[in-house]
Amino acid sequence: MEELLELLKEIKEEIDYTSVDDLVTGGYFESLDLLTVIADIEEHFKIDILASDIIPENFDSADAMWRMILSKK
């Protein structure tokens, strides 16, 4: 999880990823931010994120992203 938090901080360091749970639906991430997050996660964790995985439920919080990462390993 720490690795994910570090990746996210590189994208937008002003967000408290441990408490925000509406990154997509709350407008914290713009579309380019989300694309960067997806690419960074795929590269760092060596997983493939499918188009069907790109839903708010998987990207609204760091916890949700971590669960998705673990499910793909």
Side-chain angles (χ1 to χ4, degrees):
M1 178 72 157
E2 284 302 315
E3 296 170 80
L4 174 60
L5 291 173
E6 288 177 29
L7 286 176
L8 294 172
K9 285 286 184 192
E10 289 177 15
I11 296 165
K12 282 200 166 181
E13 64 182 76
E14 68 274 10
I15 298 173
D16 178 6
Y17 292 100
T18 59
S19 65
V20 175
D21 63 356
D22 60 347
L23 292 167
V24 175
T25 57
Y28 289 91
F29 281 167
E30 297 174 8
S31 57
L32 287 177
D33 297 325
L34 187 55
L35 290 174
T36 303
V37 167
I38 292 167
D40 287 356
I41 287 174
E42 286 183 320
E43 182 179 328
H44 185 83
F45 294 100
K46 309 289 189 249
I47 62 171
D48 290 322
I49 296 175
L50 306 174
S52 60
D53 295 323
I54 305 171
I55 56 173
E57 291 82 11
N58 286 338
F59 291 93
D60 254 349
S61 70
D63 284 336
M65 287 181 241
W66 187 244
R67 284 191 302 273
M68 180 191 61
I69 290 166
L70 292 177
S71 75
K72 294 194 163 283
K73 288 196 155 237

